[in-house]
Amino acid sequence: MESLATALFEEILTALLTSDFELYYQNIPITARNNVEHLREVFDEAVGVLKPMGDIKSIKYLTHEKMTALHKHRWKVRYQKENEDLLFEVLVTNENDDLQFKGFAFDK
């Protein structure tokens, strides 16, 4: 599951770094696409926070935590213009070997 979550994380991170809402949106499950305006707001806010940090210097996978039906994967991301690492989390479900993106969060 780590490799699937990492591939998903890399797509989400690429979408955020390049301001590519369509790439981000493609990873949202069809059942969660009913409020595009809200999804766009969350995406734009995240882009606005990450963009000033510059390019990524390093990424390191940290942990996986199973929480009932959700799986939380965490990475440590270091940016060019920041002195602190960013803790980035991706929430997914794994139903019938189908990994579905449920959300993300990041914090210093």
Side-chain angles (χ1 to χ4, degrees):
M1 178 180 289
E2 178 185 334
S3 62
L4 291 174
T6 297
L8 176 61
F9 165 71
E10 289 172 351
E11 276 204 13
I12 300 301
L13 196 56
T14 297
L16 292 167
L17 292 172
T18 61
S19 303
D20 187 346
F21 180 73
E22 287 304 315
L23 177 60
Y24 173 73
Y25 190 72
Q26 289 172 10
N27 286 288
I28 304 292
I30 292 171
T31 56
R33 293 182 183 179
N34 56 350
N35 192 345
V36 177
E37 293 160 7
H38 176 70
L39 293 172
R40 184 64 185 215
E41 285 176 20
V42 170
F43 177 82
D44 288 343
E45 183 178 344
V47 168
V49 170
L50 295 175
K51 198 163 221 57
M53 297 174 139
D55 294 331
I56 293 175
K57 286 174 55 176
S58 66
I59 298 173
K60 180 181 180 186
Y61 183 80
L62 297 176
T63 64
H64 165 245
E65 179 181 345
K66 183 166 178 10
M67 307 170 352
T68 316
L70 287 174
H71 296 263
K72 183 187 293 186
H73 294 268
R74 291 185 185 104
W75 290 263
K76 180 172 68 172
V77 181
R78 176 149 302 203
Y79 286 84
Q80 176 186 14
K81 297 179 182 178
E82 289 292 312
N83 293 329
E84 298 178 50
D85 293 330
L86 188 74
L87 182 63
F88 203 111
E89 300 176 341
V90 172
L91 297 171
V92 297
T93 59
N94 187 12
E95 301 169 15
N96 302 323
D97 292 329
D98 181 27
L99 197 70
Q100 289 195 0
F101 174 64
K102 293 296 181 184
F104 70 93
F106 54 82
D107 196 8
K108 289 185 181 180

